[in-house]
Amino acid sequence: MTHASGRLSLFLSSGLIAIPVLAAIWFGLTGGDGQAWDHILNNRLVPYTLTTLGALFLTGLLVLVIAIPLAWLISAYEFPGRAIFEWALILPLAMPGYVMAYAWADLTGVSGPLQASLREMTGLSARDYWFPDVFSLPGLAFVMAATLYPYIYLTARSAFTTQSLSTLEAARSLGAHGAHLFLSIAMPAARPAIVAGLALALMETAADYGAADFLGIQTLGVGLVRAWTSFGEPATAARLSIGLISIAFLFMILERTQRGQMGVQQTSSRWKTLARRPLATAQGWSASLLCIIVLAIVFITPMARLVWLAWDHGVDAERLAGPLASSMILGVAGMLAAFVLALPIALASANRRRLAWIGRLTAASGYAAPGVVLGLGGLFILGALGLPLTGSYALFILVWIYASRFSTIGAEPMIAAQMRAPRSLGEATRSLGVRGIWRLWRVDLPILLPGILAGGLILFVETLKELPATLMLRPFGWDTLAVRAHAYASDERLAEATLPSVLITLAGLVPVILLSRQMTASGERS
């Protein structure tokens, strides 16, 4: 592409990503007052905000407690099963938070297997003992932490693995060992990566709607949807969305700031990768047991329970045929639309740094905005254009929202692939007269192909998992697997919600396993 056409396409892409977010903010600032807003302002705004902040605090605490010790064990030590746990601990990323909530609600319910087994073993009745309640703020934090801790696990593991062996050996020679070495040397050096991963996890927690709604936790996201559906005042919902956007953008800025600090910690010319030390037999099996327990809690047990319930309830293929087809169609359409918006941003990163930074920041802001906010922006766009929430209009807006939300997921792998290409390649193509669309087809796309494949796979799965925007914008007859699972669970028909939940998780396992194995292989090569 020429310089002018590249700049134009970048501005168009950035504008299309930003419009839904800006629409929600604009209508929130300019919408008129109503009875619902007065009620929420006087009675519900403070509880909504405090509950959201409480969920963020507890989730952040839990993900740090789970992820950092696991990342250090996997990076620094050899023990039985380490090679398997290295990639298996990422598997919970495939399970959406609302699916995890369905599974643990069934497992821990009064009639569920855990409490039933407890009563069988002790002879007690349900009134004679206390049991953790997943339908609570700590329960929501546990569910979100179980699915989101891999964000910190991945970034922390990468930081620990790439620390200077010379620095760690010098610390050991000065008497730093074990926990002291970890706390005084490894943790401070990995802090930017850990904070960046934490910001991503908290951004996803703030964006959650499905798990919080199912568990009955009144967060800002749940209040926003109810202001629109129950009170019928979209302007009130838009005002609530400003609070969610503010929280999400704060975490986005934090993540970008910390990402900028990564990779500058090691200055020694004697840089080597961290050598893993074998643990003694008892310590090694204790480390393996810890990984097994965590993996059983966050993935194996809930997934096994969902599969068993789905099998026990039976497969109703006719009832799920429509949602499955809708999910596939919308998934492919969202993936292609996000790729179209991400491509100019990836191409601009090669030679227009300032413009590329604007594009990447805009794409990141679309991802930071919760799906419920973007869905609300889509509703306002439909209303402003005088279009009904039916048929092709609503489908077009929904695919647009997918692209706005997930374009950064498509852009970043392509940017990473382009960064690995030699800089002289661009000068060579220009000297040979390869320009415009021919350069895009013959040079740029082949370079970006690995990133396109990786990003496309993740984009497809993310559109399958997206719930609030789909719930708000899909026209009649276009229920997806996520919408159908949420509807069943909301009607307390949890057994019927399990099969679509299992299908969503199985679809997510493919890219997660590929990502895990690719990262493991990359670490071994380095």
Side-chain angles (χ1 to χ4, degrees):
M1 283 191 279
T2 64
H3 182 79
S5 62
R7 176 177 292 186
L8 178 61
S9 62
L10 179 62
F11 280 134
L12 286 175
S13 174
S14 300
L16 288 172
I17 293 170
I19 284 173
V21 184
L22 296 177
I25 294 174
W26 172 257
F27 281 98
L29 294 174
T30 60
D33 295 331
Q35 292 182 351
W37 173 247
D38 293 337
H39 168 72
I40 290 175
L41 182 63
N42 295 325
N43 302 291
R44 303 304 307 158
L45 184 59
V46 172
Y48 283 158
T49 304
L50 292 178
T51 303
T52 303
L53 294 178
L56 292 172
F57 174 77
L58 291 176
T59 302
L61 187 63
L62 282 175
V63 294
L64 290 173
V65 169
I66 297 170
I68 295 177
L70 292 176
W72 178 246
L73 275 177
I74 294 294
S75 303
Y77 299 103
E78 281 288 351
F79 54 90
R82 192 207 68 84
I84 297 175
F85 296 130
E86 182 178 15
W87 62 266
L89 287 167
I90 311 175
L91 294 181
L93 272 180
M95 186 176 288
Y98 53 86
V99 172
M100 184 72 75
Y102 304 158
W104 277 107
D106 178 78
L107 282 164
T108 60
V110 174
S111 59
L114 296 182
Q115 292 204 52
S117 300
L118 178 63
R119 290 194 297 271
E120 261 184 48
M121 291 186 296
T122 61
L124 299 172
S125 68
R127 297 180 180 180
D128 296 331
Y129 61 86
W130 175 86
F131 201 83
D133 183 13
V134 74
F135 291 89
S136 62
L137 187 59
L140 174 62
F142 162 74
V143 163
M144 298 309 298
T147 57
L148 297 176
Y149 84 86
Y151 282 117
I152 300 178
Y153 168 76
L154 288 171
T155 56
R157 195 185 81 184
S158 176
F160 290 145
T161 302
T162 56
Q163 284 182 11
S164 170
L165 181 60
S166 303
T167 303
L168 294 175
E169 287 178 343
R172 288 190 179 108
S173 69
L174 294 173
H177 295 283
H180 180 60
L181 177 69
F182 170 68
L183 293 174
S184 61
I185 304 298
M187 272 287 289
R191 180 188 57 80
I194 292 171
V195 174
L198 177 62
L200 287 172
L202 295 182
M203 200 184 301
E204 289 290 337
T205 303
D208 172 73
Y209 165 74
D213 180 60
F214 173 72
L215 297 177
I217 309 303
Q218 305 298 306
T219 62
L220 282 169
V222 173
L224 190 158
V225 174
R226 291 185 177 176
W228 169 62
T229 57
S230 300
F231 293 102
E233 291 192 9
T236 297
R239 288 191 173 185
L240 284 176
S241 75
I242 294 175
L244 267 181
I245 293 171
S246 301
I247 293 173
F249 273 53
L250 177 64
F251 288 128
M252 184 198 74
I253 294 170
L254 180 63
E255 187 271 336
R256 292 280 155 173
T257 303
Q258 295 301 316
R259 181 187 294 189
Q261 297 179 25
M262 294 183 202
V264 297
Q265 302 163 5
Q266 309 301 340
T267 57
S268 171
S269 59
R270 297 177 59 244
W271 187 90
K272 301 177 183 178
T273 56
L274 177 65
R276 293 188 293 269
R277 291 192 166 192
L279 290 173
T281 303
Q283 293 176 326
W285 284 108
S286 297
S288 300
L289 181 60
L290 174 64
C291 293
I292 291 172
I293 291 173
V294 171
L295 199 56
I297 292 173
V298 301
F299 186 76
I300 296 174
T301 301
M303 186 63 182
R305 183 60 179 174
L306 289 173
V307 171
W308 186 89
L309 283 172
W311 179 268
D312 184 62
H313 184 71
V315 177
D316 191 347
E318 292 184 4
R319 187 172 294 182
L320 285 182
L324 180 60
S326 298
S327 296
M328 295 297 109
I329 294 171
L330 290 173
V332 172
M335 176 186 68
L336 294 175
F339 167 74
V340 170
L341 294 186
L343 184 59
I345 297 172
L347 294 175
S349 66
N351 48 20
R352 288 181 289 275
R353 294 185 178 180
R354 183 173 298 177
L355 289 179
W357 180 84
I358 294 173
R360 293 177 74 177
L361 183 64
T362 304
S365 68
Y367 180 70
V372 64
V373 173
L374 292 175
L376 191 64
L379 288 173
F380 286 132
I381 292 170
L382 279 171
L385 296 176
L387 301 175
L389 187 61
T390 56
S392 57
Y393 300 116
L395 288 177
F396 176 80
I397 294 293
L398 181 57
V399 172
W400 180 8
I401 295 304
Y402 287 154
S404 175
R405 175 99 163 91
F406 301 122
S407 59
T408 190
I409 298 176
E412 293 299 331
M414 288 192 285
I415 292 171
Q418 186 153 261
M419 292 299 182
R420 290 193 290 268
R423 295 184 178 180
S424 59
L425 187 60
E427 298 175 0
T429 56
R430 283 192 295 270
S431 67
L432 293 173
V434 181
R435 300 177 185 277
I437 193 68
W438 291 110
R439 170 174 173 166
L440 175 66
W441 182 254
R442 294 181 177 181
V443 179
D444 293 327
L445 288 180
I447 292 173
L448 297 175
L449 185 61
I452 291 172
L453 295 176
L457 202 57
I458 298 172
L459 282 169
F460 177 75
V461 173
E462 287 297 330
T463 57
L464 288 182
K465 292 161 58 176
E466 172 59 37
L467 174 62
T470 311
L471 196 64
M472 298 171 76
L473 289 170
R474 94 277 185 209
F476 180 77
W478 279 85
D479 282 358
T480 62
L481 291 172
V483 170
R484 186 60 60 87
H486 177 73
Y488 285 145
S490 299
D491 292 340
E492 299 185 0
R493 298 158 65 186
L494 199 55
E496 295 178 66
T498 53
L499 184 56
S501 300
V502 168
L503 292 176
I504 294 170
T505 305
L506 290 177
L509 279 178
V510 176
V512 168
I513 290 175
L514 291 177
L515 173 65
S516 303
R517 296 184 68 85
Q518 182 181 7
M519 291 186 63
T520 299
S522 176
E524 290 173 351
R525 287 195 298 269
S526 65

